[in-house]
Amino acid sequence: MSTIQEETKPAAFTQTEFREQLRELPPSAKLVAKVLETDAPLSQGQLAEASLLPDRTVRYALNRLEECELVDSRYSFNDARKQVYFLTN
């Protein structure tokens, strides 16, 4: 008899854990996280516009935030071709 194991999402970080993880990241990732803290969910283009960072820098920042599981993404309800990003805490 086989059992199906559901993939579970990790528990959200406490505010202290979130800040500790963020402290180790580059300034661009901190800025992107701050923008997402006030206006989320946002697409990569919207993040670039709001943060005044180049698209490439925003992509790097999002990758670093995703590696630390501080940011998650989903497809946009308005445009399924785009991903939108939001903080996990």
Side-chain angles (χ1 to χ4, degrees), residues 26-71:
S28 60
K30 292 173 185 169
L31 178 57
V32 167
K34 189 64 175 172
V35 170
L36 286 173
E37 190 175 71
T38 57
D39 293 327
L42 294 174
S43 68
Q44 182 179 340
Q46 291 169 320
L47 281 166
E49 191 175 307
S51 66
L52 303 176
L53 293 171
D55 287 338
R56 185 175 178 178
T57 304
V58 171
R59 181 77 241 150
Y60 172 75
L62 286 170
N63 284 335
R64 294 296 306 271
L65 290 164
E66 286 177 325
E67 287 170 4
C68 296
E69 298 179 351
L70 299 176
V71 165

